[in-house]
Amino acid sequence: MGQPVRDYLLTLCVTAAVTYLLTGPVRKFAIAVGAMPAIRARDVHREPTPRLGGIAMFGGLCAGLIVADHLHNLKSVFELSNEPRALLSGAALIWLIGVLDDKFELDALIKLGAQMIAAAVMVIQGLTILWLPIPGVGTVALTQWQGTLLTVALVVVTINAVNFVDGLDGLAAGMVCIASAAFFLYAYRLWFGNMIEAAAPATLFTAILMGMCLGFLPHNMHPARIFMGDSGSMLIGLVLAAAAISVTGQVDPDTMRIFEGSERGATHAMLPVFIPLLLPLTIIAIPAADLILAIVRRTWNGQSPFAADRGHLHHRLLEIGHSHSRAVLIMYFWSALIAFGAVGYSVHSASMWIVFVIVAASAVGLVLLLMPRFTPRTPHWANRFVPPRYRHRAKEQASSPSYDEKPATVGSGAQQGPADAQMGEEGPERAPVAVGVSGVNGATAIGARSRSPERRSIDSSR
């Protein structure tokens, strides 16, 4: 068992390293080609920031698949299944459309059509849902058209759910990384715990997806130096959907029937196991809820479901007073609670302590939501080990000038929230950035801003 884990860890590390190393050159390329759209009304960041981070993530995906193909314990996935090739084909198509959208702002219907085509390409190559376990009925085999429609719908919903939540620095990459980590634990248990070979592709996909997100996060955390753009958000959404489709549609519940007397009994017994798999919405519940609420909100207001606005969940967190970093951490918390809670319940569905842990963690999450102004402080002896925002203010004021005495300036961090100007978030050591000089995220590296101070103040207001 140890050798496969090492192979997955090697694949993850190579994917993360390639993604991390490619992101720097990709950022310079994005600046050179002008893939830095102007600030929009719904944006949270205050300066144009380069996109096209999906180029580096796609490079990490290709590197991970190549490495896995040459590892002894993982190359059987490529020999016995066509799903890795199906994933690469669909990912290449959706990535190309995302790159074009990051540069030229494609129409929403064009992107929707491309998502459906990418899903159809994977279906043609065998990555499709073949059956579903239904409570009280048993295993229901799907016809070719039913499986195709359900697969396409699942891919489109997952891609757009991830794309909708990509509104704060590090939010989409972190949430998908958490979801893929929970999914990996479950898929690995199916493969090596229950010896179900059909779960091998999903295990590989989730390991590579974790590497893509972990490699990109250092460049994308607040303040972000580059955004993944649609080329990245649609790509990781498709990989997550492919993993869910692979293990849901290919793992036959009959292989787990050895503990029960009938297929219907096996389905009942294994239903908690399929909770994280029937729909990836249980893993990415937060983005999916945001997607549904956005569609209802826009339709109710007489707008197109594809019209952009500032009503997403992360925007609401900023409006009630949470800082940028705190809003992202809160979204991380809820994603981890739902993803790992579902996986934990699927493994120990008869244990009540799982339910108690989930309820207690939910109570903690609700408390965090209701305390937007609270900033934890560490003891004096631990000040040197924590970021400045968590240190005691008295010691900071004794060693440096007051934050209020410094000149006000438009922050250079990407996607800065309305509460980021607080003392606890930005820190006293932040220096003003001159016009035409590269800031933290390099948004001004291409020259002086052409916007007037009046226009900048309007764009910065939320």
Side-chain angles (χ1 to χ4, degrees):
M1 294 299 176
Q3 186 64 36
V5 172
R6 288 195 292 269
D7 288 346
Y8 282 120
L9 183 60
L10 176 60
T11 302
L12 187 153
C13 291
V14 170
T15 304
V18 172
T19 303
Y20 177 82
L21 294 176
L22 286 179
T23 304
V26 167
R27 174 177 171 272
K28 295 180 180 179
F29 171 76
I31 295 175
V33 299
M36 299 173 59
I39 305 297
R40 300 164 297 185
R42 70 177 187 271
D43 289 334
V44 178
H45 60 283
R46 296 183 176 181
E47 289 188 359
T49 304
R51 293 183 180 180
L52 294 178
I55 296 179
M57 304 180 83
F58 183 74
L61 171 65
C62 295
L65 291 175
I66 293 174
V67 170
D69 191 23
H70 290 80
L71 294 177
H72 175 71
N73 292 282
L74 301 183
K75 65 180 181 180
S76 61
V77 178
F78 298 84
E79 297 172 352
L80 302 177
S81 174
N82 197 44
E83 293 182 17
R85 300 175 183 85
L87 170 66
L88 185 60
S89 301
L93 177 59
I94 204 69
W95 168 77
L96 179 60
I97 295 298
V99 169
L100 294 176
D101 179 67
D102 289 341
K103 181 62 177 72
F104 301 107
E105 294 284 346
L106 301 180
D107 185 76
L109 293 179
I110 296 178
K111 292 190 292 183
L112 179 62
Q115 295 168 8
M116 299 175 67
I117 295 175
V121 168
M122 294 194 299
V123 169
I124 292 174
Q125 300 187 59
L127 187 56
T128 182
I129 297 177
L130 302 178
W131 47 64
L132 288 176
I134 305 298
V137 178
T139 302
V140 176
L142 302 178
T143 65
Q144 181 178 0
W145 280 106
Q146 290 174 340
T148 300
L149 292 177
L150 184 58
T151 301
V152 171
L154 207 54
V155 171
V156 171
V157 170
T158 307
I159 289 176
N160 286 281
V162 176
N163 192 24
F164 271 46
V165 82
D166 184 25
L168 298 179
D169 295 350
L171 183 57
M175 293 181 66
V176 172
C177 183
I178 292 171
S180 58
F183 216 123
F184 171 81
L185 294 177
Y186 182 79
Y188 184 85
R189 178 176 176 269
L190 279 184
W191 186 11
F192 291 98
N194 297 335
M195 303 303 296
I196 299 176
E197 189 71 21
T203 311
L204 176 62
F205 295 167
T206 50
I208 293 177
L209 183 57
M210 278 192 289
M212 295 165 61
C213 295
L214 289 175
F216 185 72
L217 269 175
H219 299 272
N220 191 233
M221 293 301 291
H222 181 70
R225 305 180 73 238
I226 185 173
F227 297 155
M228 68 172 65
D230 282 2
S231 59
S233 62
M234 293 197 299
L235 175 63
I236 60 177
L238 181 135
V239 177
L240 182 60
I245 291 170
S246 173
V247 75
T248 303
Q250 305 298 327
V251 176
D252 188 356
D254 289 345
T255 60
M256 308 177 194
R257 204 175 60 180
I258 57 177
F259 303 106
E260 300 292 334
S262 64
E263 181 177 350
R264 180 176 299 182
T267 303
H268 277 294
M270 298 307 296
L271 182 60
V273 176
F274 281 90
I275 287 178
L277 308 177
L278 289 176
L279 290 175
L281 303 184
T282 56
I283 293 292
I284 54 168
I286 300 297
D290 195 14
L291 171 63
I292 296 174
L293 292 176
I295 294 176
V296 173
R297 180 179 64 253
R298 294 165 185 174
T299 306
W300 182 268
N301 294 330
Q303 300 175 342
S304 169
F306 303 102
D309 57 20
R310 288 178 52 84
H312 294 292
L313 296 178
H314 49 270
H315 291 136
R316 300 296 185 184
L317 290 175
L318 296 178
E319 289 177 359
I320 65 177
H322 289 288
S323 66
H324 188 293
S325 300
R326 189 189 300 275
V328 171
L329 292 177
I330 289 176
M331 298 286 280
Y332 283 178
F333 173 84
W334 285 106
S335 297
L337 176 62
I338 295 174
F340 286 97
V343 172
Y345 180 73
S346 68
V347 176
H348 299 286
S349 59
S351 300
M352 288 301 297
W353 67 268
I354 293 289
V355 178
F356 291 138
V357 169
I358 294 176
V359 171
S362 301
V364 173
L366 291 176
V367 171
L368 294 177
L369 285 175
L370 298 176
M371 301 177 64
R373 301 294 179 181
F374 172 74
T375 302
R377 299 295 175 184
T378 58
H380 289 284
W381 58 268
N383 277 344
R384 67 180 63 182
F385 304 108
V386 297
R389 71 186 67 174
Y390 299 119
R391 299 174 185 172
H392 282 277
R393 187 173 303 180
K395 186 169 184 176
E396 290 293 323
Q397 291 176 348
S399 59
S400 62
S402 174
Y403 179 77
D404 296 332
E405 296 175 1
K406 293 198 173 186
T409 180
V410 176
S412 60
Q415 292 184 332
Q416 192 173 11
D420 283 354
Q422 297 177 7
M423 164 69 182
E425 179 66 25
E426 293 299 328
E429 71 281 356
R430 188 144 184 149
V433 179
V435 174
V437 180
S438 177
V440 175
N441 64 352
T444 59
I446 58 176
R449 300 190 188 96
S450 59
R451 293 180 296 174
S452 63
E454 292 79 12
R455 174 67 180 275
R456 183 164 62 249
S457 63
I458 294 175
D459 290 341
S460 300
S461 61
R462 298 299 180 210

